[in-house]
Amino acid sequence: MKRPVAVVGVGQTHHGSRRADVSIAGLVREAVDRALLDAGLEHKDIDAIVFGKAPDMLEGVMQPEQFLVGAVGGHLKPVIRVHTAGSVGASTALTAVTHVASGLFERVLTIAFEKQSEGNAMWALSPNMPFVAPLVAGAGGYFAPYVRAYIARSGAPPHIGPMIAANARDNATRNEYAHLREPITVEDVMNSPMLWDPIRYLDTCPSSDGAIAMIVASEATAKKGPRRPAWVKSGYSYAEAMWVPGRDQVSPRAGKVCVKAVYDGAGITDPWNQIDVAEIYVPFSWFEAMWLENLGFCDVGEGWKVVDRGEQRFGAQLPINPSGGVLCSNPIGASGMLRLGEAALQVMGRAGAHQVEGAKTALGHAYGGGAQYFAIWIVSSEL
Amino acid sequence: MSKLRNVAVVGFAQAPIVACDEHHTAQEMLYPQVRRALADCGVERDAIDYQVAGSADYIDGRPFGFVAALDVMGSWPPRQDLHLEMDAAFAAYYAWLRMQAGDCDSAMVVGYGKVSEGSPEHVLNLQLEPYYLAAIGLDVKSTAALQASAYMARSGATDDDLAEIAAHNRAAGARNPDAQVRQAATAEELRRTPWAVQPLRTGYLPPVGESAVCLILAAEGKAEKLCSQPVWIHGLDQRAEMQALGGRDLSRSASTALAAQKALAMAGLSRADEVDLLELSAATPAEEMIVREAMGLDAKGSTRPAINPSGGPLTGHPILMTGLIRLGEVFRQLSGGAGAHAVAGARRGIAHASQGHCLQHNLVFVLGRERRWS
């Protein structure tokens, strides 16, 4: 990047199954108001706006950012709308970073949202492509075979996914914004109905309404701000083709290439020991073990063992998803930016009851498509 | 503002615009354009650092329509990538920003989408505010007619003026092999076409179509190696307006005016008529008059600078590709590849992109044959 970029404000909504108290514009505005307040800025201070969300079919509005321009103070400002499937919230924040890094913008407002109660996510995520047999099984039906492949390769025992799900719920009890805040046990998960073998009902993320907004700014603005900023050390988004023979969806090459670029950019050579906390995209419990390997936190086949030893729990060596993550709140288009925003809050020292003590370096991650799109950043408490 | 890098358009390929390509998927339409654009630059896919696409799920009639394009864009090994749910001209804008940030030296920009998969009238209705406005059933023809009425009431423009603008575009489109409508029509003939929605006649509305576009951008140092006559970006800016149709003056385009002013200033120009040609994403003659006026040009009638030598959207309007095609057309004109519709001696041009109802969101590029910054 040509010049330093920092997160100077973060605002998120309370997440829920149905935020019937607000329209889409009201939901987005709630996050934007909190982010501006957090940064000590006003609408007039914002130079450009970067929107992201997952498929427009989730709410049934084509390019909803167009009608939202007025609601977020965007009149006569530059506006961009990103869509990179499930990774979109994260790639949206990185697009805002590019705006500032280019030298043309000082303060950029970036917003990601989903109001899933306005539509039917299961339908919207079941693309019926011309000339391809329809799966109509949502994301769980798509990803279950790769979870089975992971288990077959690694020999992971059946309680690993349920351990991850129970840990996520435990973490979310400390996050006031989370959608699902009721604790569950490993037994609860293992006794819940099987949806897509081996993914059970409680291994699965909820369908949420929610939004997050952040303000990304130049060094000069960050140093003037009321609070300690989160400095963006490195961030990249990568994608890979769908129909490549031998493409590995258990540990996609795009994820490995992306995280290597991010680590190289941030000077990370030993991620397990150099990173203090990570927010990663885990819509189905087993993916936490899978991503631990793909992100280079451990060797291939070792991800489930890290979980089994509890080394990724809150208070342990490398807390993963102390917010509760996607398993406890999943407004799809916002979920990726929530991962990056939570990573920023951790290094700002403002993650509330789920703050990881002394966190200086944090990773935020999201993936999307058929495990094809990846967007990752590293943020730090120091420039 | 810190020092800007010179970035140029170095390659462009476009599928001819058609109402419906029954024989190809969107990806099959795009693939030959990717190959042609790379071949024009004399490189393989690995030589390009970054890729960014513009398309919309609702145009394809399915979620994640853009995922399938990764394959034809050559995304293996994995590529640095972004997709915008926008007119693909905004993808070119973003690629330029990315080069200013110093993260890449070249980028592939693609636009695609098959509007024939669905009903454009219903799809574009869904761009409107969902709770009150979309529910009325307003479509893009009706909102364009509201805007045309507002403009005519303020400016005194007549049905004859609209017919003249439409006829001018139709005459130009007859010389463009990629245009969807290639039959010239006189103003008199167009003025006798029936009302679509008053004050717009069917002859004043664009033929909605589909295409696929690939454009290659490169920064100084690389651009000269990929193209014998790179077309340099001298200035650019984009602005959105609130959608609320009752909350803005529909007879003017404040966002176009501001974007043009900023883009021209970046290019070191003070007036839009200092360029030789403009390609405008105006979907009706009234929109063209509003955009011309917003840029400080005569609203009608002038021959210099040339307006829409390709025929413009009135001779082919592939939704969310129309803007990127304008950029490609200016590249063709300034690099000497415009063929029968070339503007003789053109050295500078403006490409304009617009998306949303009633010119809601506008992007202006100022381009030239010489590098802007030394």
Side-chain angles (χ1 to χ4, degrees):
Chain A
M1 291 191 296
K2 195 157 93 180
R3 63 176 189 161
V5 181
V7 180
V8 299
V10 183
Q12 62 180 297
T13 63
H14 291 279
H15 303 287
S17 301
R18 180 168 164 77
R19 284 290 307 272
D21 57 324
V22 283
S23 64
I24 297 172
L27 184 77
V28 165
R29 184 61 185 253
E30 194 174 302
V32 169
D33 285 350
R34 286 199 178 114
L36 285 168
L37 193 67
D38 196 47
L41 297 172
E42 298 175 32
H43 287 290
K44 67 175 170 49
D45 302 317
I46 299 299
D47 301 324
I49 297 176
V50 182
F51 273 102
K53 70 173 293 301
D56 289 356
M57 284 162 192
L58 284 168
E59 289 89 1
V61 188
M62 183 187 181
Q63 299 175 298
E65 69 283 357
Q66 294 191 336
F67 91 86
L68 292 171
V69 163
V72 300
H75 187 58
L76 294 180
K77 288 180 182 170
V79 173
I80 289 260
R81 157 70 195 285
V82 178
H83 179 10
T84 60
S87 73
V88 62
S91 56
T92 301
L94 293 177
T95 301
V97 170
T98 300
H99 275 65
V100 176
S102 73
L104 277 94
F105 303 93
E106 289 298 300
R107 291 166 296 270
V108 176
L109 172 63
T110 183
I111 305 163
F113 72 96
E114 209 74 74
K115 200 161 190 303
Q116 292 182 216
S117 67
E118 309 233 347
N120 181 329
M122 187 68 181
W123 169 79
L125 295 178
S126 301
N128 187 4
M129 295 191 202
F131 321 117
V132 176
L135 198 60
V136 196
Y142 184 89
F143 289 117
Y146 304 107
V147 174
R148 291 202 294 275
Y150 173 73
I151 292 170
R153 281 188 205 179
S154 68
H159 65 271
I160 296 300
M163 273 184 84
I164 291 165
N167 180 52
R169 289 288 196 96
D170 183 56
N171 287 347
T173 60
R174 290 181 287 273
N175 176 4
E176 62 170 314
Y177 293 106
H179 177 178
L180 302 178
R181 303 187 65 199
E182 308 79 19
I184 53 174
T185 65
V186 173
E187 290 69 36
D188 291 338
V189 184
M190 294 187 87
N191 291 330
S192 66
M194 185 67 81
L195 298 183
W196 310 274
D197 189 11
I199 301 172
R200 293 179 183 275
Y201 180 71
L202 291 176
D203 284 310
T204 306
C205 57
S207 207
S208 312
D209 287 359
I212 174 169
M214 294 197 288
I215 292 150
V216 174
S218 68
E219 182 178 357
T221 299
K223 287 186 168 165
K224 269 187 291 188
R227 297 188 181 86
R228 185 208 296 176
W231 297 99
V232 181
K233 304 305 283 186
S234 180
Y236 287 95
S237 58
Y238 273 83
E240 71 184 32
M242 174 71 101
W243 306 107
V244 176
R247 188 167 82 87
D248 184 0
Q249 297 197 52
V250 173
S251 187
R253 190 166 164 187
K256 290 190 259 193
V257 169
C258 187
V259 82
K260 181 179 187 310
V262 171
Y263 288 158
D264 287 351
I268 303 276
T269 52
D270 178 6
W272 180 254
N273 289 307
Q274 285 175 282
I275 293 171
D276 302 313
V277 52
E279 284 277 346
I280 67 180
Y281 203 95
V282 179
F284 304 103
S285 63
W286 285 91
F287 271 91
E288 188 162 310
M290 293 161 70
W291 294 145
L292 281 168
E293 298 174 23
N294 189 251
L295 291 166
F297 285 125
C298 62
D299 290 336
V300 174
E302 298 291 312
W304 69 266
K305 296 175 190 166
V306 170
V307 173
D308 211 21
R309 295 191 294 264
E311 292 167 349
Q312 93 308 3
R313 298 175 69 92
F314 192 68
Q317 160 83 19
L318 178 63
I320 302 285
N321 296 335
S323 69
V326 180
L327 281 170
C328 300
S329 311
N330 188 30
I332 297 177
S335 292
M337 195 182 290
L338 283 161
R339 305 284 70 71
L340 270 53
E342 285 286 350
L345 286 170
Q346 289 287 348
V347 301
M348 290 163 145
R350 293 197 288 113
H354 60 285
Q355 175 69 45
V356 171
E357 207 176 324
K360 288 191 165 56
T361 303
L363 176 140
H365 155 273
Y367 87 105
Q372 293 166 277
Y373 290 85
F374 291 82
I376 302 170
W377 80 9
I378 296 271
V379 285
S380 168
S381 58
E382 281 157 27
L383 177 58
Chain B
M1 192 188 300
S2 52
K3 189 173 178 295
L4 292 170
R5 297 174 87 187
N6 285 300
V7 172
V9 182
V10 294
F12 175 68
Q14 172 197 347
I17 306 165
V18 294
C20 173
D21 182 339
E22 294 177 344
H23 305 291
H24 300 94
T25 64
Q27 292 71 43
E28 288 169 333
M29 290 176 75
L30 178 60
Y31 183 69
Q33 316 317 322
V34 170
R35 298 309 310 168
R36 280 171 56 202
L38 289 170
D40 284 353
C41 295
V43 295
E44 281 301 323
R45 179 63 190 80
D46 285 342
I48 307 297
D49 300 338
Y50 192 74
Q51 65 187 30
V52 53
S55 73
D57 283 347
Y58 266 103
I59 300 291
D60 278 359
R62 60 180 165 127
F64 309 120
F66 57 92
V67 174
L70 283 179
D71 289 75
V72 298
M73 289 159 74
S75 310
W76 194 263
R79 310 289 185 186
Q80 278 204 66
D81 172 276
L82 195 73
H83 170 259
L84 302 181
E85 195 87 348
M86 302 183 86
D87 187 301
F90 289 86
Y93 169 90
Y94 181 71
W96 180 89
L97 266 189
R98 189 96 189 154
M99 287 189 214
Q100 299 307 327
D103 292 334
C104 62
D105 293 330
S106 56
M108 170 192 291
V109 179
V110 300
Y112 46 87
K114 279 184 80 70
V115 76
S116 62
E117 298 279 333
S119 150
E121 283 186 25
H122 290 99
V123 163
L124 295 175
N125 163 266
L126 296 174
Q127 276 184 337
L128 293 165
E129 186 279 326
Y131 306 105
Y132 298 102
L133 208 49
I136 302 171
L138 271 182
D139 64 16
V140 70
K141 287 178 195 165
S142 306
T143 56
L146 282 174
Q147 185 161 41
S149 296
Y151 176 72
M152 292 167 82
R154 175 176 64 78
S155 68
T158 64
D159 191 30
D160 286 340
D161 294 328
L162 269 58
E164 288 290 344
I165 296 256
H168 173 266
N169 281 283
R170 290 284 292 270
R175 293 186 288 273
N176 176 6
D178 290 329
Q180 183 178 345
V181 175
R182 301 196 60 210
Q183 293 78 42
T186 65
E188 182 56 25
E189 285 165 341
L190 293 168
R191 208 173 53 76
R192 270 183 284 160
T193 58
W195 298 116
V197 183
Q198 270 188 307
L200 296 176
R201 297 178 181 276
T202 55
Y204 307 165
L205 290 175
V208 174
E210 54 201 37
S211 179
V213 188
C214 181
L215 182 126
I216 312 275
L217 289 170
E220 185 172 356
K222 192 157 187 176
E224 301 86 340
K225 297 190 179 98
L226 299 179
C227 184
S228 56
Q229 177 56 65
V231 172
W232 301 94
I233 296 171
H234 288 182
L236 77 183
D237 196 78
Q238 56 111 344
R239 301 282 156 168
E241 292 179 56
M242 68 170 87
Q243 185 178 69
L245 302 181
R248 53 187 167 115
D249 180 353
L250 291 184
S251 79
R252 301 175 202 273
S253 180
S255 52
T256 302
L258 184 57
Q261 180 201 325
K262 298 274 183 189
L264 285 165
M266 192 188 285
L269 302 179
S270 50
R271 297 156 53 96
D273 63 7
E274 292 178 67
V275 306
D276 303 302
L277 75 132
L278 296 95
E279 282 282 344
L280 306 179
S281 288
T284 70
E287 283 188 12
E288 182 176 318
M289 294 168 94
I290 292 168
V291 169
R292 286 193 194 198
E293 190 187 286
M295 291 189 182
L297 301 166
D298 289 341
K300 59 184 182 186
S302 64
T303 54
R304 299 295 295 184
I307 309 271
N308 289 349
S310 70
L314 283 169
T315 63
H317 186 31
I319 301 167
L320 298 195
M321 278 171 271
T322 299
L324 188 60
I325 289 171
R326 304 280 75 72
L327 187 56
E329 280 292 343
V330 173
F331 168 70
R332 283 176 168 163
Q333 290 286 352
L334 302 188
S335 65
H341 63 287
V343 174
R347 304 193 68 78
R348 283 196 297 230
I350 285 177
H352 161 253
S354 188
Q355 64 167 22
H357 288 251
C358 298
L359 297 167
Q360 192 194 341
H361 193 173
N362 294 280
L363 164 62
V364 175
F365 284 93
V366 181
L367 301 118
R369 284 168 60 91
E370 282 85 40
R371 276 190 288 270
R372 167 75 178 95
W373 296 281
S374 53

